[in-house]
Amino acid sequence: MISGTSVKVTDVTSKCYRVANMSQAYVTLATNDGYAIGALVLGHSLRSNNTTRDLCIMITPTVSPSIKALLHGVFNKVISVDVLDSGDSAHLSLLKRPELGITFTKLHCWTLTEYSKCVFLDADMLCVQNPDELFSHPELTAVTDIGWPDCFNSGMFVFVPSRDTYAKLLRVAEEKGSFDGGDQGLLNTYFTDWHRISFVFNMVASATYTYLPAYKQFGVNAKLIHFLGSMKPWQHRYDVTSGSVQTPAGYHHLAPYLNSWWAIYIRLVQPGIPEMDIPRLLAVKSPLEDTKKMDISAIDSNEGRSHSYGHYYLRGGNEVAQQLAGLHLGQESIQEGLARWERGEPDYLGRDSFANIQAYIDSKLKSGK
Ligand code: UDP
Ligand code: GLC
Ligand code: MN
């Protein structure tokens, strides 16, 4: 069921931050440079909200050395771990996120026994107000999942590191597996008596429009924003001139939080990245790439309606792609264009620019077709 179960802790403590409570930490995970960039922004956002806790990141050898050096500047500990992978493609394709098997690597966080208590945070989160009160809650405290509220979302959880718990989790992984193929299914199987805490500690960004009145009422209290879903902040396109993110269809409601994410990235992260590496890092293999390998016929034909709901967030561009099926812009064939939309790679400044599409529609109207 799982591969790579040995833990290899090889690194290192950065001394650049002095914090009051070294026995408690926020912990995150990055297995590639894209998520590592996300973790850097998350780390800076926690620092700028004056957390008093340690910051710790677990990385795999696939994170490149230049990014690892930046991580040492923000995190107190950068710990190398082996990849754990559920290898459970059947459940993962139900989730439509084939890449998430690797999230089993999260389980290593229970081996961080130098800490008495920790809060795990996904690397696709952003801190907007100090969430340190989380440390006064017991294991396992978390927020309900918006897709299935009887479960907790494993993007944020309070836990107590323990070799014993780690061993038990691996045993459950071997014996029962995970009902979603990722860590969330496994953790919900193991921690059945979890403690629910307010949504403001793991506010899924799409809540801003899936339940706008509640967002208007309570959103002001949000502390941790979660960019859950296939398209992550670093995969959006940022316009330096206007200083704002160009949000594709289906993502406009995320603009304020994406802009906050990018403001931190531009000011505090990008200056540390060698200029020649920037395009490569921001073009890090998208999780959407993996969906190319999936059987399209297995996908709910109504997926357009649900593109912003939790796990079923997949491929917001698809709906738009269908609307654009009649378009043939530039030299690209319709099939090539559709495939590109499906990969989540619209060329907003080029072929798929609003001006181009408008011109095409105008020409059709004029010719009466
Ligand atoms: N993650 C990673 N590499 C991957 C996929 C996931 O390091 O290829 C880590 C990262 O910390 C990420 C977390 O696992 O935030 C959970 O994945 P993701 O946030 O993509 O899941 P979602 O919240 O969108 O369901
Ligand atoms: C969820 C969580 C994420 C977890 C994934 C796989 O959507 O947000 O943290 O890794 O499911 O179980
Ligand atoms: Mn996440």
Side-chain angles (χ1 to χ4, degrees), residues 69-90:
L70 291 183
L71 291 170
H72 279 290
V74 177
F75 288 83
N76 301 85
K77 289 192 183 196
V78 180
I79 295 184
S80 292
V81 295
D82 290 339
V83 171
L84 290 180
D85 194 329
S86 72
D88 193 341
S89 57

Side-chain angles (χ1 to χ4, degrees), residues 13-35:
T13 303
S14 156
K15 297 270 188 290
C16 52
Y17 288 99
R18 290 211 174 276
V19 289
N21 192 340
M22 293 297 285
S23 69
Q24 298 186 334
Y26 290 99
V27 179
T28 189
L29 164 71
T31 67
N32 63 38
D33 288 345
Y35 282 100

Side-chain angles (χ1 to χ4, degrees), residues 122 124 226 228 232:
D122 268 9
D124 60 344
H226 190 177
L228 185 148
K232 301 303 184 193

Side-chain angles (χ1 to χ4, degrees), residues 92 95 97 100-101 103-104 106 120 122 124 145 153-156 178 180-186 202 226 228-229 310-311:
L92 285 165
L95 251 183
R97 297 286 302 277
L100 288 185
T103 64
F104 264 42
K106 253 189 218 182
F120 183 89
D122 268 9
D124 60 344
D145 184 74
N153 179 272
S154 63
M156 185 290 292
S178 161
D180 70 0
D183 62 289
Q184 182 163 309
L186 173 70
N202 179 358
H226 190 177
L228 185 148
H311 301 312

Side-chain angles (χ1 to χ4, degrees), residues 31-318:
T31 67
N32 63 38
D33 288 345
Y35 282 100
I37 296 276
L40 283 165
V41 172
L42 170 64
H44 280 296
S45 70
L46 285 161
R47 297 276 182 218
S48 57
N49 282 289
N50 300 319
T51 179
T52 59
R53 274 26 180 228
D54 216 351
L55 300 188
C56 173
I57 183 163
M58 305 184 294
I59 57 168
T60 53
T62 35
V63 172
S64 57
S66 60
I67 297 297
K68 196 173 164 187
L70 291 183
L71 291 170
H72 279 290
V74 177
F75 288 83
N76 301 85
K77 289 192 183 196
V78 180
I79 295 184
S80 292
V81 295
D82 290 339
V83 171
L84 290 180
D85 194 329
S86 72
D88 193 341
S89 57
H91 287 131
L92 285 165
S93 71
L94 275 179
L95 251 183
K96 298 174 183 157
R97 297 286 302 277
E99 78 281 10
L100 288 185
I102 205 165
T103 64
F104 264 42
T105 311
K106 253 189 218 182
L107 301 182
H108 283 310
C109 69
W110 268 274
T111 67
L112 302 172
T113 49
E114 63 268 47
Y115 295 116
S116 56
K117 190 181 277 184
C118 296
V119 171
F120 183 89
L121 297 176
D122 268 9
D124 60 344
M125 296 182 86
L126 177 74
C127 174
V128 292
Q129 287 186 66
N130 188 310
D132 285 355
E133 66 189 269
L134 282 170
F135 289 89
S136 63
H137 293 267
E139 176 176 271
L140 185 293
T141 296
V143 166
T144 47
D145 184 74
I146 60 165
W148 195 265
D150 288 341
C151 293
F152 60 86
N153 179 272
S154 63
M156 185 290 292
F157 54 89
V158 181
F159 71 101
V160 175
S162 148
R163 287 267 169 195
D164 185 46
T165 309
Y166 179 67
K168 285 177 178 155
L169 282 167
L170 291 187
R171 208 169 311 135
V172 174
E174 295 288 350
E175 285 166 8
K176 298 190 179 165
S178 161
F179 62 76
D180 70 0
D183 62 289
Q184 182 163 309
L186 173 70
L187 293 175
N188 273 278
T189 301
Y190 184 82
F191 291 102
T192 46
D193 292 325
W194 57 282
H195 306 263
R196 186 183 78 82
I197 196 171
S198 166
F199 190 56
V200 299
F201 289 100
N202 179 358
M203 199 200 85
V204 175
S206 58
T208 57
Y209 104 120
T210 51
Y211 193 177
L212 189 58
Y215 176 68
K216 282 187 175 157
Q217 180 75 4
F218 306 115
V220 65
N221 301 322
K223 297 180 195 306
L224 291 160
I225 309 300
H226 190 177
F227 295 99
L228 185 148
S230 300
M231 193 162 178
K232 301 303 184 193
W234 54 93
Q235 294 165 333
H236 287 267
R237 205 181 281 221
Y238 182 78
D239 179 358
V240 190
T241 322
S242 68
S244 60
V245 173
Q246 296 169 351
T247 44
Y251 290 84
H252 299 314
H253 53 288
L254 303 188
Y257 290 117
L258 286 170
N259 283 328
S260 303
W261 188 97
W262 272 88
I264 294 178
Y265 170 76
I266 295 283
R267 201 158 55 86
L268 299 173
V269 177
Q270 185 159 294
I273 301 177
E275 207 159 310
M276 56 189 267
D277 283 348
I278 293 171
R280 178 181 65 80
L281 293 172
L282 293 184
V284 163
K285 180 174 150 295
S286 156
L288 291 165
E289 279 290 304
D290 295 295
T291 63
K292 276 190 295 187
K293 297 176 201 135
M294 290 169 49
D295 176 9
I296 302 290
S297 63
I299 294 171
D300 176 0
S301 59
N302 280 329
E303 67 172 340
R305 110 186 110 66
S306 54
H307 57 72
S308 65
Y309 291 85
H311 301 312
Y312 312 102
Y313 194 98
L314 181 78
R315 302 195 301 184
N318 198 41

